[in-house]
């Protein structure tokens, strides 16, 4: 159905083109008699562009369609206009290519930067809790808040005085009841002199900047100690 419509439409287009070519040939050969004076260049340009501002009942259209001078000028303007359009299309295609290439370049740079960040060694951080409160339930107010970056960190904690050696779970949590764990890791103490320390890798990249708690939980007595912590972007 659609195909046959298209075929008949193509045939009509061919016929119209043929009639137009015959008319054009007759006009250029001076076989027609134009009525009225030649319109100005602006009007011919608008006609060549098939501008919507042209009223087909305008007598100037009739003139241009029958005057060899106007027809010649129209054909020249039409060719000029079509080549401009082709140039514009090429320019637009070129611009699109440039944008695409720039986009791909930016994307690949972003990707490699992300990969570099992912592969970059964690940032070493030291938190000294040697003088921090060691009694459960003791007010945390006096303790200066710990500051950590929102990054992958290699965290060493000097445990508070009198801390037991052994296995610890270190966590960054939203509150001091252990809720909202941002990152955690298990580790064993190593002694440096009399001070017990633990070292653990924590990934804080997804953490939003703000207030958190750093907790240490000894494996055996399961007592968790919470220290105020700030994460900064
Ligand atoms: Zn004319």
């Amino acid at each position: 159905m659609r195909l046959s419509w298209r075929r008949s439409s193509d045939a009509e287009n061919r016929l119209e083109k043929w009639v137009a070519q015959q008319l054009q040939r007759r006009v250029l050969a001076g076989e027609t008699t134009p009525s009225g004076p030649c319109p100005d260049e602006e009007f011919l340009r608008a006609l060549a562009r098939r501008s919507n501002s042209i009223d087909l009942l305008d007598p100037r259209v009739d003139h241009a369609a029958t005057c060899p001078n106007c027809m010649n000028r129209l054909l020249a303007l039409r060719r000029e206009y079509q080549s401009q359009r082709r140039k514009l299309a090429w320019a637009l295609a070129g611009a699109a290519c440039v944008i695409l290439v720039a986009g791909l370049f930016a994307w690949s740079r972003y990707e490699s930067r992300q990969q570099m960040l992912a592969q970059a060694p964690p940032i070493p951080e030291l938190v000294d809790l040697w003088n921090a409160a060691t009694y459960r339930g003791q007010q945390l107010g006096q303790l200066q808040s710990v500051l950590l970056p929102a990054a992958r960190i290699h965290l060493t904690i000097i445990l508070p005085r009198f801390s037991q050696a052994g296995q610890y779970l270190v966590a960054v949590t939203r509150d001091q009841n252990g809720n909202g764990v941002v990152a955690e890791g298990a580790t064993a103490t190593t002694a440096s002199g009399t001070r017990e320390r633990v070292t653990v890798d924590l990934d804080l990249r997804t953490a939003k900047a703000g207030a958190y708690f750093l907790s240490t939980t000894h494996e055996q007595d399961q007592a968790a100690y919470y220290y105020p912590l700030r994460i900064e972007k």
Side-chain angles (χ1 to χ4, degrees), residues 113-198:
R113 205 178 109 82
Q114 289 300 100
Q115 274 175 10
M116 249 172 59
L117 283 177
Q119 285 161 6
I123 300 166
E125 290 286 339
L126 177 70
V127 171
D128 187 355
L129 300 175
W130 180 250
N131 290 313
T134 51
Y135 299 103
R136 270 178 252 184
Q138 181 159 347
Q139 286 301 309
L140 296 162
Q142 307 94 321
L143 184 71
Q144 207 167 16
S145 179
V146 172
L147 205 64
L148 290 175
R152 282 171 64 224
I153 58 166
H154 185 68
L155 178 65
T156 299
I157 303 171
I158 297 172
L159 293 171
R161 207 186 298 264
F162 312 124
S163 290
Q164 292 181 65
Q167 194 79 14
Y168 278 82
L169 181 72
V170 176
V172 172
T173 61
R174 262 296 182 186
D175 66 22
Q176 50 184 312
N177 296 314
N179 296 315
V181 176
V182 175
E184 63 182 355
T187 175
T189 52
T190 52
S192 155
T194 54
R195 302 184 180 194
E196 295 290 346
R197 57 174 67 200
V198 289

Side-chain angles (χ1 to χ4, degrees), residues 4 10-11 20 131 143 182 205 217:
S4 67
D10 284 351
N131 290 313
L143 184 71
V182 175
R205 282 176 301 177
T217 310

Side-chain angles (χ1 to χ4, degrees), residues 39-50 69-85:
D40 57 20
E41 176 83 0
E42 198 186 336
F43 179 81
L44 289 178
R45 280 185 184 278
L47 198 59
R49 279 203 314 272
R50 296 185 186 167
N69 295 337
C70 290
M71 181 68 78
N72 264 321
R73 187 69 193 126
L74 266 180
L75 290 172
L77 286 170
R78 186 98 201 115
R79 279 194 295 273
E80 195 180 293
Y81 178 59
Q82 277 169 347
S83 98
Q84 269 173 8
R85 278 222 314 203

